Amino acid sequence: MLAERRHQLILRALRSGGPAAVTDLSEQLGVSLATVRRDLLKLEEEGLLTRVHGGAVAEEGDQPFAEVAEVRVAEKDAIAARAAALVEDGQSVLLDIGTTAYRLARQLHGRRITVITSNLVVYEELVDDEAIELVLLGGMVRREYRSLVGFLTEDNLRQLHADWLFLGTSGVRPGGQVMDTTVVEVPVKRAMIAAADRVVLLADRAKFPGTGMAKVCGPEDLDVVVTNAPADAGTRAALEEAGVRVVLT
């Protein structure tokens, strides 16, 4: 098998199934462990994945929204359903960018709530729902990822208050730090945290540890984590010490 084809298959496996071990990739591709390790090194040099102990995880932060939206849909729907159950009628909800927030928006149809978002796909999902008061934040448009960013978005958030923020992430470090791969999104996420009474992190199994070089917040800024992956001992201890409630789907 040509190296280029192996690289495509490795990235497809990581994006569809989350982090993968070198041994698993070796079996899937029918090549040696040494070949897989060389492929992972090359892909990491190109910025397409991050090597972790014993394997690798794909860099998803800058993938087009349409691509990410097709990954782990059932898992995201389960997380979204548990998150939606936290919201009571009459409350206000901030929805972050990302595909899990979009899946959550689909669970909120018909609710007598206010939804505030910088997520253009969330806006498109809810714009015709007359039960929902919908607030679209201003800002510069990131077309590929369907979001609004910049000082206009941050200024808008300083004028608003929400009962809940449902926050997305690229990765959660063992110390409980919430990370993101896209630096331009981080100030908006921090402004959302400041505008909300309660912060709920939506994180599927691929986000432990996931990726990201930019710190969004620490575990002390979270109230709830909704996930389908029991955290490792270090992450679980950090979340418990910070008083974070972990809800498993």
Side-chain angles (χ1 to χ4, degrees):
M1 186 185 300
L2 294 175
E4 184 177 350
R5 178 59 176 163
R6 288 199 311 274
H7 294 173
Q8 291 174 351
L9 293 174
I10 288 170
L11 291 173
R12 184 180 302 169
L14 295 176
R15 287 169 179 167
S16 63
V22 171
T23 52
D24 292 337
L25 292 171
S26 173
E27 291 178 6
Q28 291 176 33
L29 298 173
V31 297
S32 70
L33 296 175
T35 297
V36 172
R37 291 190 181 99
R38 286 195 297 271
D39 288 341
L40 296 182
L41 179 61
K42 175 65 174 175
L43 289 167
E44 184 176 52
E45 290 173 350
E46 295 174 357
L48 297 172
L49 58 74
T50 298
R51 288 183 300 158
V52 297
H53 181 69
V57 61
E59 290 285 356
E60 292 187 353
D62 289 322
Q63 281 183 271
F65 186 97
E67 288 185 18
V68 185
E70 300 301 320
V71 175
R72 298 185 296 279
V73 173
E75 297 179 26
K76 293 173 183 177
D77 278 341
I79 290 170
R82 292 299 298 270
L86 298 172
V87 180
E88 298 178 1
D89 286 353
Q91 292 187 323
S92 53
V93 175
L94 257 171
L95 292 185
D96 191 14
I97 66 159
T99 56
T100 308
Y102 162 61
R103 306 308 300 186
L104 173 54
R106 292 168 60 91
Q107 300 277 346
L108 297 176
H109 277 294
R111 300 287 301 275
R112 295 289 176 181
I113 59 175
T114 298
V115 173
I116 307 162
T117 191
S118 60
N119 188 326
L120 292 173
V121 183
V122 167
Y123 166 77
E124 291 165 1
E125 177 68 27
L126 300 178
V127 67
D128 293 324
D129 191 325
E130 295 183 1
I132 293 175
E133 290 286 343
L134 185 59
V135 178
L136 180 64
L137 299 167
M140 294 292 294
V141 176
R142 287 187 69 212
R143 289 181 176 84
E144 285 294 293
Y145 210 66
R146 310 299 304 280
S147 66
L148 294 156
V149 297
F151 75 93
L152 292 173
T153 320
E154 297 162 46
D155 281 350
N156 283 179
L157 285 162
R158 280 190 277 271
Q159 310 305 314
L160 297 170
H161 166 268
D163 296 301
W164 295 95
L165 163 62
F166 292 95
L167 183 70
T169 181
S170 300
V172 182
R173 291 289 179 259
Q177 297 90 354
V178 178
M179 309 299 291
D180 202 275
T181 57
T182 310
V183 173
V184 71
E185 298 283 0
V186 171
V188 175
K189 289 176 181 286
R190 290 176 177 169
M192 286 183 169
I193 291 169
D197 282 343
R198 285 162 287 186
V199 179
V200 182
L201 183 68
L202 309 175
D204 63 49
R205 59 189 170 87
K207 305 304 173 64
F208 295 90
T211 59
M213 64 176 180
K215 179 181 174 181
V216 175
C217 68
E220 67 278 1
D221 296 304
L222 304 176
D223 296 285
V224 183
V225 174
V226 183
T227 183
N228 63 338
D232 64 84
T235 308
R236 186 166 59 249
L239 294 173
E240 289 175 354
E241 185 177 347
V244 180
R245 175 188 169 202
V246 177
V247 177
L248 293 175
T249 62

